[in-house]
C-alpha cells in the first residue's frame, strides 16, 4: 500500500470548485429545461430551430454553459470547502435525476 | 457502417468509459506520487470514451431512432420509450458533464488533499452508477422493440 501523503486541508482549488459548482448549476438547469421544453411548444420549437433537433441544442447548451460558467467561477481567488463541493455535486446529481425521472414517470 | 454496428458502439464506449472510471476510483483509493499519472490518464480516457458514447449514441438517436420509437409506442411496452428513453436521453447530459468534470478534479491536489481525493472517488462512483443506469435503460429500450416486433 502507498504511503499516505495527505495533509489536513479541507479546501479544493478555485478551478476544481468552479467547475464543480458549474456542473451542479448546469445539471439542475438542464433538468428544468427538460420540463419546460416538454410542456411548452414555443420553447421546444426554439430549441429545434437552432440546430434542427431539440436534443442536440440542449446538449450544446449544457456543454457551453458548463465550460463558460466553470471558467468564470474558477476566477475566484479563494477555493471552497471540499466537503461542501462533494455535497453540491452529489446533491445536484440526485436532484436533477429525480426531476427528469419524476417528470417522465408522472 | 450499418446502423446496427453504430448502435452497438454506443454501449461499448459507455462500458469502456465506466471501466476507466472504476480504474480512476481504484487508483484514487491509494493515490500517491507513484500512481497519480495513471489516475489522471484514466480520468481523461473516461471523459474521451464518454464523449464517443455520446456522439455515436446521439447520431443513432437523431438519425435512426424514429422507426424504433414508433414501434415501441405501438407495442406492449410503450413505457420503454415514454419513461426509459426519455429519461435516458436527458440524464445522459449529466453523465457527460460528470465525465468532463472527473479529469478536472483529478488534476487537483489528489495526492496531498484527502478532500480532493474524496471528490474524485465520489465523481468516479457517480459516473459508474449513472452509467449502469444508462445500460439498464438501454436494455429496456431494446426489449421494448423486441416485444413490439414479436407482438405484431
Amino acid at each position: 500500500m502507498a504511503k499516505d501523503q495527505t495533509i489536513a486541508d479541507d479546501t479544493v482549488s478555485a478551478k476544481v470548485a468552479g467547475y464543480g459548482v458549474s456542473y451542479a448549476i448546469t445539471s439542475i438547469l438542464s433538468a428544468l429545461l427538460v420540463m419546460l421544453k416538454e410542456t411548452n411548444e414555443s420553447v421546444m420549437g426554439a430549441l429545434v430551430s437552432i440546430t434542427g433537433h431539440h436534443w442536440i441544442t440542449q446538449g450544446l447548451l449544457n456543454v457551453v454553459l458548463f465550460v463558460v460558467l466553470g471558467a468564470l467561477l474558477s476566477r475566484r481567488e479563494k477555493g471552497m470547502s471540499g466537503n461542501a463541493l462533494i455535497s453540491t455535486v452529489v446533491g445536484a446529481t440526485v436532484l436533477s435525476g429525480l426531476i427528469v425521472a419524476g417528470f417522465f414517470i408522472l | 457502417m450499418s446502423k446496427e454496428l453504430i448502435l452497438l458502439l454506443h454501449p461499448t464506449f459507455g462500458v469502456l468509459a465506466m471501466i476507466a472510471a472504476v480504474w480512476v476510483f481504484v487508483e484514487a483509493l491509494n493515490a500517491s506520487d507513484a500512481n497519480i499519472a495513471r489516475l489522471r490518464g484514466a480520468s481523461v480516457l473516461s471523459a474521451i470514451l464518454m464523449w464517443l458514447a455520446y456522439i455515436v449514441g446521439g447520431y443513432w438517436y437523431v438519425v435512426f431512432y424514429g422507426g424504433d420509437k414508433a414501434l415501441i409506442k405501438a407495442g406492449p411496452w410503450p413505457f420503454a420509450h415514454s419513461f426509459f428513453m426519455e429519461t435516458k436521453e436527458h440524464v445522459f447530459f449529466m453523465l457527460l458533464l460528470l465525465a468532463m468534470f472527473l479529469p478536472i478534479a483529478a488534476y487537483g491536489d489528489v495526492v496531498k488533499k484527502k478532500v480532493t481525493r474524496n471528490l474524485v472517488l465520489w465523481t468516479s462512483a457517480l459516473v459508474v452508477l449513472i452509467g449502469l443506469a444508462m445500460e439498464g435503460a438501454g436494455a429496456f429500450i431494446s426489449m421494448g422493440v423486441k416485444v413490439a416486433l414479436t407482438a405484431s
Side-chain angles (χ1 to χ4, degrees), chain A residues 5-7 9 27 37 55, chain B residues 89-90 94 111-113:
Chain A
Q5 303 171 344
T6 55
I7 55 173
D9 182 351
S27 179
K37 75 176 181 180
W55 187 79
Chain B
E89 74 186 59
H90 293 107
M94 280 173 242
V111 174
K112 288 190 176 159
K113 291 188 178 178

Side-chain angles (χ1 to χ4, degrees), chain B residues 11-77:
Chain B
T12 302
F13 284 133
V15 166
L16 291 173
M18 279 191 283
I19 291 171
V22 170
W23 183 8
V24 172
F25 187 94
V26 173
E27 297 284 7
L29 286 173
N30 291 300
S32 69
D33 289 331
N35 73 345
I36 188 66
R38 253 191 342 255
L39 186 158
R40 288 172 174 162
S43 71
V44 171
L45 182 64
S46 181
I48 291 171
L49 288 164
M50 198 61 82
W51 262 98
L52 290 171
Y54 172 62
I55 291 167
V56 174
Y59 175 77
W60 189 88
Y61 168 64
V62 170
V63 176
F64 299 116
Y65 180 64
D68 286 354
K69 176 182 171 180
L71 263 176
I72 294 170
K73 288 175 80 172
W77 279 25

